Amino acid sequence: MIKAISYSFNRILNLSVFICSLFLMQYSISASARTFYAEGSDIMLGVGARNIALAGAVTSSTKDVYSTYWNPAGLAGIEKSEITISHRPGAELVPVNFLGAAFVVPEVWGSGWKMSYAFAFIPRLHIYGSGTFYEDEFESIFMRYALPGLEGDFTGTIESKTKDYRMAFGFSPIASPEFRAGFSIGYIDCATTFCGIKAESPGNYTIASAGATAFTFNFGLQYDYSEKFTFGLNVNDVGTTLDVEVIETDDSGTTNKNYIVEFPRDIALGMVWHQSKQVDISADVRYLSGKYGSYVIDFRTARIGVEFKNYWQDTDLQAGLLIPIKFASDKTEEFDIPYFAAPSVGVVYKKGRFKLESALLVEPVSSYQLSKPRAAFELSLGYEI
């Protein structure tokens, strides 16, 4: 019985290697023919149509269920419990960009503190790539996010899904609502498959399957300095390490690898100027830096947003600019970004308990790949419970 199972496994393995070989022969004819998609909150876009329309300049102004992602301190500013969902029409990989619910506790057991808590599902990064990718290319950084143990150049197909399940809490003293603090705990679940050849063994076809999990801790603060200014801080992935298990099969057999990967630090500082009752102007600086797998990365962006509240009855308007400051890794020189900023605009319509948000944006990653603007559309629907 064991021999039969072993024989069947070997046949399946040999067939997989054969199929992988045929695939790679196609790309040996034209190495330049390749496909690459990257979607999810970790490609600088974030979640929620209104927030995306403001280019993510919301660390100090977020006050809805999306605070679970942007700054959990903002949950303390929620007035009513709500549920929400986001979707990007035309997305290749991620059908739902965000799904969450937040609930308000007006006072916690007579303590004088208000609390809100939320649950959220956040696709952090979904990737599909096929073709030849070189170690010093922009796309390869995202490939290493998918499979941290992948080193050097490679040719093949890689597909990865990274999901984040979060629970978040926001607190504020009832007597001093200008102070807000919050934290969230997330469970990260990654699954990646790879079929191809690596630079260190060009004649050796490899099939790899990786699974990785981690618990992540995030915290944030908001402070209303005056009627005109609010400041915010958000820190993601504090002390987070990813437990990675890889099953790799090639011409020499099957091996199991286990290793620990540190997450880079993700820090956002923001400010909003309440220019008037109708106009808010916000600005954020975001740093993503540190070691991840075989890469040391340094991503820095500035984000500017303006919101016109009640521009029409029950309607708010937003506009934003995501400005890349630095994109670099230790495997490459600093990337020359082909555009000054990625613009975005949005509309929020509120009617009764419903809130419909929409955003039209230029995707920063796809635009970099194509060296020209690539537009996308985001829709979010919320309901007050």
Side-chain angles (χ1 to χ4, degrees):
M1 179 68 178
I2 295 176
K3 288 183 177 180
I5 294 174
S6 177
Y7 176 74
S8 299
F9 175 79
N10 287 331
R11 290 201 62 180
I12 293 171
L13 177 59
N14 292 334
L15 178 62
S16 299
V17 172
F18 175 71
I19 293 172
C20 184
S21 303
L22 290 178
F23 171 83
L24 292 169
M25 286 174 63
Q26 173 188 351
Y27 280 96
S28 67
I29 297 172
S30 177
S32 62
R34 65 180 188 179
T35 302
F36 177 80
Y37 297 108
E39 297 172 3
S41 63
D42 277 2
I43 59 170
M44 300 177 285
L45 295 173
V47 296
R50 170 191 173 270
N51 306 307
I52 292 173
L54 290 168
V58 297
T59 303
S60 54
S61 65
T62 179
K63 290 182 181 180
D64 57 18
V65 67
Y66 293 107
S67 301
T68 309
Y69 172 85
W70 293 103
N71 186 347
L75 291 172
I78 294 177
E79 299 297 331
K80 296 181 180 179
S81 300
E82 59 181 282
I83 57 175
T84 190
I85 186 172
S86 279
H87 168 66
R88 180 165 301 172
E92 298 286 342
L93 305 174
V94 181
V96 175
N97 284 349
F98 182 93
L99 179 63
F103 305 91
V104 178
V105 180
E107 187 172 7
V108 182
W109 301 314
S111 63
W113 285 77
K114 173 188 175 183
M115 181 187 81
S116 295
Y117 61 96
F119 305 92
F121 165 67
I122 307 170
R124 290 187 64 152
L125 188 64
H126 288 202
I127 286 177
Y128 176 82
S130 64
T132 297
F133 296 89
Y134 300 99
E135 187 177 41
D136 60 352
E137 290 184 310
F138 181 74
E139 293 84 353
S140 286
I141 292 180
F142 292 94
M143 298 293 190
R144 271 63 183 193
Y145 263 101
L147 194 60
L150 194 63
E151 297 184 359
D153 306 335
F154 66 92
T155 297
T157 298
I158 186 168
E159 185 169 5
S160 179
K161 297 181 179 180
T162 302
K163 296 165 284 188
D164 191 339
Y165 304 89
R166 290 194 193 184
M167 185 172 186
F169 300 85
F171 302 90
S172 179
I174 295 175
S176 301
E178 67 272 17
F179 293 99
R180 297 178 292 278
F183 70 91
S184 69
I185 300 173
Y187 176 72
I188 299 174
D189 181 21
C190 307
T192 300
T193 57
F194 168 72
C195 174
I197 56 175
K198 301 179 182 178
E200 63 267 25
S201 54
N204 203 16
Y205 302 117
T206 300
I207 300 172
S209 174
T213 57
F215 285 96
T216 179
F217 179 76
N218 320 288
F219 72 88
L221 300 169
Q222 287 182 345
Y223 173 54
D224 297 328
Y225 177 75
S226 67
E227 292 184 356
K228 288 292 185 181
F229 293 98
T230 299
F231 297 92
L233 165 70
N234 185 54
V235 181
N236 279 333
D237 301 327
V238 178
T240 301
T241 57
L242 197 65
D243 298 319
V244 184
E245 179 181 3
V246 179
I247 301 174
E248 190 171 290
T249 302
D250 55 25
D251 292 350
S252 61
T254 299
T255 59
N256 288 66
K257 300 178 182 179
N258 295 86
Y259 48 89
I260 303 296
V261 176
E262 294 183 6
F263 264 41
R265 302 290 77 77
D266 186 354
I267 301 173
L269 294 167
M271 179 193 75
V272 58
W273 172 33
H274 307 289
Q275 194 270 336
S276 67
K277 290 184 178 180
Q278 284 74 40
V279 179
D280 283 349
I281 299 173
S282 55
D284 280 23
V285 177
R286 191 166 181 175
Y287 302 86
L288 179 65
S289 61
K291 188 174 182 180
Y292 189 82
S294 60
Y295 271 65
V296 177
I297 60 175
D298 186 2
F299 289 0
R300 305 177 192 180
T301 57
R303 300 153 188 261
I304 300 173
V306 58
E307 183 168 35
F308 302 92
K309 300 178 181 179
N310 295 316
Y311 189 81
W312 294 304
Q313 188 175 5
D314 302 321
T315 303
D316 301 337
L317 300 181
Q318 301 84 28
L321 286 176
L322 191 156
I323 305 170
I325 299 173
K326 183 177 182 180
F327 285 84
S329 80
D330 61 334
K331 298 289 193 297
T332 66
E333 297 180 357
E334 186 171 343
F335 293 106
D336 184 18
I337 306 299
Y339 53 86
F340 166 72
S344 52
V345 293
V347 178
V348 175
Y349 176 71
K350 295 165 285 186
K351 191 67 175 179
R353 294 176 178 265
F354 287 94
K355 179 170 62 175
L356 178 64
E357 304 176 2
S358 61
L360 180 64
L361 63 141
V362 170
E363 289 187 327
V365 172
S366 297
S367 298
Y368 177 86
Q369 288 179 269
L370 300 172
S371 296
K372 62 181 181 180
R374 183 179 186 274
F377 189 63
E378 183 90 6
L379 282 174
S380 301
L381 178 63
Y383 179 75
E384 292 182 347
I385 303 172

